[in-house]
Amino acid sequence: MSRFFMNERETLVEQALEGFAESHSGLVDVHPDPLFVTRRTPTTGKVALLSGGGSGHEPLHTGFVGQGMLDAAVPGDVFTSPTALQVRAAIQAVDSGEGTVMVVKNYTGDVLNFSIAAELLADTHRVEQVLVDDDLATEREDDGGPGRRGTAAVVAVEKICGAAAEAGVPIAQVRDLGRRVVARSATLGVSFEACTNPETGRRSFELEPGEMEFGVGIHGERGIQTRVIGKADDLVESLVSRLVEAVGLRRSDSVLAIVNGLGATHGLELAVAARQTRRVLDGQGIDITRSLVGPYVTSLDMKGLSITLTALTDDLVKFWDAPVRTPALVW
Amino acid sequence: MSRFFMNERETLVEQALEGFAESHSGLVDVHPDPLFVTRRTPTTGKVALLSGGGSGHEPLHTGFVGQGMLDAAVPGDVFTSPTALQVRAAIQAVDSGEGTVMVVKNYTGDVLNFSIAAELLADTHRVEQVLVDDDLATEREDDGGPGRRGTAAVVAVEKICGAAAEAGVPIAQVRDLGRRVVARSATLGVSFEACTNPETGRRSFELEPGEMEFGVGIHGERGIQTRVIGKADDLVESLVSRLVEAVGLRRSDSVLAIVNGLGATHGLELAVAARQTRRVLDGQGIDITRSLVGPYVTSLDMKGLSITLTALTDDLVKFWDAPVRTPALVW
């Protein structure tokens, strides 16, 4: 018996997508075979913006399909890349002639399958890619490995590129804007309790009382270090300090801060983290010009949070502020 | 050591409110002493709508302060009623002469303190109350007890009364509209894992593998029955069938369905529940005219969900659809 609420493991993603689509039927359509999600009302004459990846990170990416953000999202099974054929079908559905920008989180399977999809369409469609690799915990000296993982900065990339595409910005500039956001972003995550494996109903790892994992990603894996849980403020300070250094922020800089719940983290906990994020940055003369606090990129029901900082410029703020109308983000 | 992410138990609510207010500084103001939350931009010349109660249910109620919904929210400590003096101060701050409607969830402490506040202002302010008591699990033969608890139907009451107040509807009608919503609503909740007590870091109760609690409220307490976890669809069917009966729904009726996460429930799980809610109602010829799926009335980080059905009429749909701009609800 699992404590993950579902019918069978095999039907989880399909049934959840049906429920999601019905709850947001004014905004999105689910195409079942091959599986992808598009806006209910397609917008043509603009660059198409598409993303996707394994399920289990909701509201990412399906919750960000809609006006001002994604044209399509391509969900795989839980923590599993979608196939190249899914991605190809989604591109064919949303590319209205201005080309498609794919936002791809840096995981081997995703990178492979999105690239194959683009290659399959090379003769007929212009497809550009923004690779998101914001997770500091996986930074290594150049070891020929896969590089940093993609985590919550993907929300900033999708929002900003989505606004640019909606405003009629051409494909190369939408792509470059996304790459700029990635280059100006960094994320670190921590976990206080692992997520439930829907297959077994067991947690993906066990922590001793008072322990936490530092530097977790979004696939239920352990972090880079097991630490003692201290005060929230001390932990947030250590996260934010590393992010400030990694992004190269200086006094008077302006940032977007995403304080992201990993699935089972309560609003009170996220608000305490958001408060200290602001205080640490204030102390260094860095201004949180925009922020987003809530569960946006989850790791199933993991208890934990990540903090993302993105260095802002005026044009990035303008695209961040542009109207958005999706199931998970509205303004 | 607690796995609830915070600094000290004593400062949890205060610091979370600071973080919340800073993250939504365009929308809300926190008044620290006595503690209450108001819209950043007050709206005068209309009935004031106010609610409140213990913290730990976020986004309820503070996340619903803003245009088209609440004028003020009065938070107590975790799972603890605010004081009458807090409520009084909030009424004084938001009543612009058209009177105040208080939305009160049916708990002894809340009922007492909100009533005292109204009495303290009886000479100078007109204050009306809508008591929300939608939780079927606590229905008893009339035993002189406190009656049914107030749970997620409060979101429908606050949205609909908020829209009516914003539209200039006078106080008696706003109150009666709220009471109509309550009379047409019922809720049932289930839990697969208890919430963390922030004080001790322990779960408020322990379940054996494969067990769940049926008929839980929103204060971390056990339900009315411990059951074996079966398939999601079977459980949802048993919840929805009881709600249909309690609300007295018939073929061709139209409902608002709120599929509410209790804190640690994942979007995939809620979507599976939303899907089956629609199927069960479809099978009875009842139309989900509007729905809301997500964590709106939480019980700290409890893993579980509640389903609320509200029988709709055209005027209720109109007020539900009216624009709303709050931290947690925007359309």
Side-chain angles (χ1 to χ4, degrees):
Chain A
M1 290 296 172
S2 163
R3 286 189 185 175
F4 205 84
F5 186 74
M6 61 183 183
N7 291 299
E8 303 90 17
R9 173 65 186 84
E10 294 68 31
T11 57
L12 171 59
V13 168
E14 173 196 329
Q15 293 189 345
L17 277 168
E18 281 178 33
F20 166 77
E22 290 162 1
S23 306
H24 300 285
S25 58
L27 294 175
V28 299
D29 276 328
V30 173
H31 306 259
D33 190 21
L35 183 65
F36 60 95
V37 177
T38 59
R39 301 185 190 184
R40 163 54 58 101
T41 312
T43 313
T44 55
K46 65 178 260 309
V47 170
L49 189 70
L50 170 153
S51 189
S55 294
H57 307 301
E58 288 69 20
L60 188 78
H61 298 270
T62 48
F64 300 136
V65 172
Q67 198 195 327
M69 217 159 163
L70 297 178
D71 294 279
V74 191
D77 197 1
V78 174
F79 294 168
T80 305
S81 172
T83 67
L85 297 183
Q86 285 176 264
V87 178
R88 181 177 70 171
I91 295 171
Q92 289 172 320
V94 296
D95 188 338
S96 65
E98 309 294 319
T100 300
V101 172
M102 309 187 298
V103 179
V104 182
K105 302 195 298 307
N106 190 26
Y107 298 101
T108 309
D110 288 342
V111 171
L112 188 69
N113 289 321
F114 280 80
S115 301
I116 293 174
E119 274 171 38
L120 291 172
L121 294 169
D123 291 345
T124 50
H125 293 71
R126 177 162 179 196
V127 181
E128 297 284 350
Q129 179 178 288
V130 177
L131 189 70
V132 182
D133 61 347
D134 52 311
D135 181 17
L136 279 194
T138 41
E139 187 156 69
R140 302 274 178 282
E141 295 295 310
D142 188 13
D143 59 358
R148 303 195 327 194
R149 296 178 291 216
T151 55
V154 72
V155 179
V157 175
E158 293 179 5
K159 173 67 186 76
I160 288 167
C161 289
E166 210 79 39
V169 172
I171 184 165
Q173 285 171 47
V174 172
R175 173 200 64 200
D176 292 346
L177 197 57
R179 291 179 178 173
R180 255 178 72 212
V181 173
V182 174
R184 302 170 73 86
S185 297
T187 299
L188 269 174
V190 293
S191 168
F192 313 108
E193 204 159 48
C195 61
T196 308
N197 180 332
E199 196 97 38
T200 62
R202 297 215 178 82
R203 295 196 182 278
S204 60
F205 55 81
E206 288 295 334
L207 286 165
E208 296 297 314
E211 276 184 6
M212 50 161 273
E213 287 289 302
F214 186 90
V216 298
I218 54 172
H219 293 94
E221 69 275 58
R222 279 193 182 265
I224 51 173
Q225 203 176 39
T226 302
R227 290 192 185 178
V228 170
I229 303 184
K231 286 205 178 187
D233 281 358
D234 295 337
L235 178 55
V236 169
E237 180 163 18
S238 84
L239 295 172
V240 172
S241 300
R242 289 192 52 177
L243 296 172
V244 165
E245 198 190 320
V247 178
L249 295 170
R250 289 155 185 247
R251 186 163 292 277
S252 305
D253 277 354
S254 154
V255 297
L256 163 69
I258 302 177
V259 178
N260 174 56
L262 289 175
T265 318
H266 195 259
L268 287 175
E269 299 174 286
L270 293 178
V272 167
R275 172 184 177 276
Q276 176 68 350
T277 300
R278 189 172 298 265
R279 272 155 189 68
V280 174
L281 291 172
D282 274 352
Q284 303 192 28
I286 298 163
D287 182 54
I288 299 189
T289 303
R290 297 292 181 271
S291 73
L292 199 59
V293 182
Y296 292 99
V297 180
T298 61
S299 178
L300 289 173
D301 57 353
M302 177 168 273
K303 182 140 190 178
L305 57 90
S306 66
I307 301 177
T308 301
L309 298 184
T310 302
L312 291 173
T313 53
D314 288 348
D315 62 331
L316 298 182
V317 173
K318 183 191 78 183
F319 289 128
W320 179 261
D321 286 349
V324 60
R325 188 171 154 74
T326 69
L329 217 56
V330 184
W331 62 67
Chain B
M1 290 294 171
S2 163
R3 287 189 186 176
F4 205 83
F5 186 74
M6 61 183 184
N7 290 300
E8 303 90 17
R9 173 66 187 85
E10 294 68 31
T11 57
L12 170 59
V13 168
E14 173 196 330
Q15 293 189 344
L17 277 168
E18 281 178 33
F20 166 77
E22 290 162 0
S23 306
H24 300 284
S25 59
L27 294 175
V28 299
D29 276 327
V30 173
H31 306 260
D33 189 21
L35 183 65
F36 60 96
V37 177
T38 59
R39 300 184 190 184
R40 163 55 57 101
T41 311
T43 313
T44 55
K46 64 179 263 308
V47 171
L49 189 70
L50 170 153
S51 190
S55 294
H57 307 301
E58 288 68 20
L60 188 78
H61 297 272
T62 48
F64 300 136
V65 172
Q67 198 195 326
M69 216 159 162
L70 297 179
D71 294 279
V74 191
D77 197 1
V78 174
F79 295 170
T80 305
S81 171
T83 67
L85 298 184
Q86 283 176 264
V87 178
R88 180 177 69 171
I91 295 171
Q92 289 172 320
V94 296
D95 188 338
S96 66
E98 310 293 319
T100 301
V101 172
M102 308 187 299
V103 179
V104 182
K105 301 194 300 305
N106 189 26
Y107 298 101
T108 310
D110 288 341
V111 170
L112 188 70
N113 289 320
F114 280 80
S115 301
I116 293 174
E119 274 171 39
L120 290 171
L121 294 169
D123 290 345
T124 50
H125 293 72
R126 177 161 178 198
V127 181
E128 297 284 351
Q129 179 177 288
V130 177
L131 190 70
V132 182
D133 61 347
D134 53 311
D135 180 19
L136 279 193
T138 41
E139 187 156 70
R140 303 273 178 283
E141 295 293 310
D142 188 13
D143 59 358
R148 304 196 323 195
R149 296 178 291 216
T151 54
V154 71
V155 179
V157 175
E158 293 179 5
K159 174 67 187 76
I160 288 168
C161 289
E166 210 79 37
V169 171
I171 184 165
Q173 285 171 44
V174 173
R175 174 200 64 200
D176 292 346
L177 197 58
R179 291 178 180 173
R180 256 179 72 213
V181 173
V182 173
R184 303 170 73 85
S185 298
T187 299
L188 269 174
V190 292
S191 168
F192 313 107
E193 202 159 49
C195 61
T196 308
N197 180 331
E199 196 96 38
T200 62
R202 297 215 178 83
R203 295 196 182 278
S204 61
F205 56 81
E206 288 295 335
L207 286 165
E208 296 297 314
E211 277 184 6
M212 51 161 272
E213 286 289 302
F214 186 90
V216 298
I218 54 173
H219 293 94
E221 68 275 58
R222 279 192 181 267
I224 50 173
Q225 203 175 37
T226 303
R227 290 192 185 178
V228 170
I229 303 184
K231 286 205 177 189
D233 281 359
D234 295 337
L235 178 55
V236 169
E237 180 162 17
S238 84
L239 295 173
V240 172
S241 300
R242 289 191 53 177
L243 296 172
V244 164
E245 198 190 320
V247 178
L249 295 170
R250 290 154 184 247
R251 187 163 291 275
S252 306
D253 277 354
S254 154
V255 297
L256 163 69
I258 303 177
V259 178
N260 174 56
L262 289 174
T265 318
H266 195 259
L268 288 175
E269 299 175 285
L270 293 178
V272 167
R275 172 184 176 276
Q276 175 69 349
T277 300
R278 188 172 299 264
R279 273 154 189 68
V280 173
L281 292 172
D282 274 353
Q284 304 192 27
I286 297 162
D287 182 54
I288 299 189
T289 304
R290 296 291 182 272
S291 73
L292 198 59
V293 182
Y296 292 100
V297 180
T298 61
S299 177
L300 289 172
D301 57 353
M302 176 168 274
K303 182 140 191 178
L305 57 90
S306 66
I307 301 177
T308 301
L309 297 184
T310 302
L312 291 173
T313 53
D314 288 348
D315 62 331
L316 297 183
V317 173
K318 184 190 76 181
F319 288 129
W320 179 262
D321 286 348
V324 59
R325 188 171 154 74
T326 68
L329 217 56
V330 184
W331 61 67

